[in-house]
Structure formats: structure tokens, C-alpha cells
Amino acid sequence: MKSILITGADKGLGLSLVEKFANNGYCVIAAHLEESPEKLIKLSEKSNFLKLIRMDVSSDESVLSAAHNFEQYDVDGKLDILLNNAGVHFEESYASLEDVNFNIALKTHNINTLGPLRTAKAFLPFLKEGEKKLILNISSEAGSLSDCWREKEFDYCMSKAALNMQSILLQNYLKKDRIKIIAVHPGWMRTDMGGLKADIDSTESAEGIFSLAEKDFALNDPIYMDYKGKIMHW
Ligand SMILES: NC(=O)c1ccc[n+]([C@@H]2O[C@H](COP(=O)([O-])OP(=O)(O)OC[C@H]3O[C@@H](n4cnc5c(N)ncnc54)[C@H](OP(=O)(O)O)[C@@H]3O)[C@@H](O)[C@H]2O)c1
């Protein structure tokens, strides 16, 4: 059975991804920030293939402790897919230059950019043992440099652009281990982050992302794409 670790699994896209993978033959390790994630707990009561783990991707200690406990998840110390989904977009990020809040900017980068790197570093030994060898980073169209139209949202856009760069650097480095990296724009989704006016439900995005995860990518295939597999411009 294939295994996947999904971060930010409490709600939104993370929760939809947990359901999609758990219902389709994966052992899912759902990493949540909340102490008592009600929806995840309910789901896990119905499935033997869904394990919960508390993990704050902004904390070295929390991520290392989760990795340390990985052996207890009945997946033989093997991880097929690491899906870095956890992310934030604080209200303050909508401020113009004059009102930029640097504390919030640092917090955003720590979660959106360093979170995936921290998690990849801690779980790399297990990924090397897995068969699929895929790191799937949830990026955003907001991280595209060449298609950028915004005049603000500095924290969020810069954190996702840096995540894109991280995805390229990691792909260069992990080619030798035959690990493939993809950075996926999940679409504008009706979640707490995307708001009610967004284009799609997170379940639709999760369907597309599941199909991408099932594909056999070559190491040299493009990295940055949307949830339907359409190549994005860096
Ligand atoms: N929504 C969109 O339209 C859109 C568009 C492009 C990209 N994205 C990206 O898609 C991903 C999922 O977004 P979403 O719309 O599902 O957002 P969401 O509904 O706000 O959910 C975000 C998830 O990340 C978790 N999280 C936040 N900080 C964390 C931390 N320090 N450690 C671990 N988990 C943490 C949250 O936990 P709590 O609930 O406990 O706070 C929550 O489960 C994000 O990476 C986002 O940037 C979203």
C-alpha cells in the first residue's frame, strides 16, 4: 500500500486531499495543527488507513518530533509522497507598501516557504525508502514572477515564489535519489483562505491533484503546473 503525508490537513484543501487519498488505496498520515481536529478524528474513526499526527510546520521541534514518531505508522518507515499543503495568507498581507507588517511577513515565510523545506528535510530518509518518491508542494499562481499582476500581498506572493525556487533547487539536488518534485497551483478554491467567491470547491482541486500524484513523471518533466496538469509560467 502506498503512503502519503499531507500537511495542513485540518480543513480546506488538506482535508479534501486526505479524503481523496484515503478513499483510493493510500495509507494517509494527516498532519494537523489543531489540537483536536474534529473532522479528521471523525474520518479516522471510519478508516484503518488514516493516521493523525500533530505537526506545526513552522517549528523545527514539532516537525522533527513528527518525523521521529514516523516509525509507528505501520508504513515500514517508507513514505511514497510528501504533500506540503499547509499554508497561510493573513489579512495583513493585503496591505499596501506603506502598511507592510514585517512580523506577519516573517511568519508567512516561515510557514509557506520554510515549512515545506523543513518537512522535506525531516522526512527525506523515509521518502528515499518509498517507491513513488514524489514531493508535491502546493504553490499558487500568486508565486509566478512572469504572470504577476498584483501590487501588494507581498508576504504571500513572495513566499510562494520562494517555494517555487525551492522546488527547482530540490529537484536539482534530489535527482540523484530519483525523487521528483512538483509545485502545483490548486486553483482559486472556496476555502477559508480562498473565500466564498472563488472558482472551485477544494474537492475538485483534490481530484486533479490526486490524478497528478498517480502520474509517472520523469525527473526532467516540468515542475510548476496547475491542478489539471497545465504547465505554469515561472
Ligand atoms: N484557497 C485558494 O484559493 C488557494 C489558491 C492558491 C493556493 N492555495 C494554497 O493551497 C493550500 C491550502 O489552502 P486552503 O485554501 O485549504 O487554506 P485553509 O483553508 O486556510 O487551510 C490551510 C491549512 O493549513 C494549516 N496551517 C496553517 N499554519 C500551519 C502551520 N504552521 N503548521 C501546520 N499547518 C498549518 C491550517 O491549520 P488550522 O486550520 O489549524 O489553522 C489549515 O489546515 C495553501 O498552501 C494555500 O496557500 C490556496
Side-chain angles (χ1 to χ4, degrees), residues 8-14 33-34 55-58 85-88 111 138-140 156 160 185-189 191-194:
D10 313 33
K11 65 178 184 188
L13 177 61
L33 180 63
E34 249 184 72
M55 188 167 98
D56 175 351
V57 302
S58 70
N85 163 75
V88 286
I111 296 169
I138 300 297
S139 177
S140 171
Y156 187 74
K160 291 294 188 181
H185 166 52
W188 185 24
M189 301 172 292
T191 59
D192 283 356
M193 186 185 292

Side-chain angles (χ1 to χ4, degrees), residues 96-207:
S96 299
L97 175 62
E98 292 77 5
D99 295 313
V100 168
N101 179 325
F102 290 102
N103 283 331
I104 292 289
L106 285 170
K107 208 171 161 188
T108 301
H109 279 76
N110 194 20
I111 296 169
N112 290 4
T113 313
L114 299 182
L117 192 62
R118 200 174 268 122
T119 310
K121 182 182 174 198
F123 286 87
L124 183 61
F126 310 117
L127 269 171
K128 283 184 182 174
E129 297 301 319
E131 274 174 34
K132 180 75 181 178
K133 299 189 196 304
L134 177 68
I135 297 178
L136 198 158
N137 288 331
I138 300 297
S139 177
S140 171
E141 53 78 30
S144 168
L145 301 181
S146 50
D147 286 343
C148 180
W149 50 269
R150 293 171 176 82
E151 297 178 353
K152 43 191 186 177
E153 297 177 62
F154 291 96
D155 327 340
Y156 187 74
C157 297
M158 289 161 61
S159 72
K160 291 294 188 181
L163 176 63
N164 284 352
M165 173 56 92
Q166 178 188 137
S167 302
I168 301 174
L169 292 167
L170 274 186
Q171 185 62 86
N172 292 345
Y173 181 60
L174 293 177
K175 231 171 229 171
K176 62 180 185 341
D177 298 303
R178 309 206 59 74
I179 293 176
K180 174 66 185 160
I181 322 290
I182 55 175
V184 177
H185 166 52
W188 185 24
M189 301 172 292
R190 288 183 285 273
T191 59
D192 283 356
M193 186 185 292
L196 293 174
K197 289 186 186 152
D199 293 332
I200 55 168
D201 282 331
S202 56
T203 47
E204 182 179 339
S205 183
E207 293 274 339

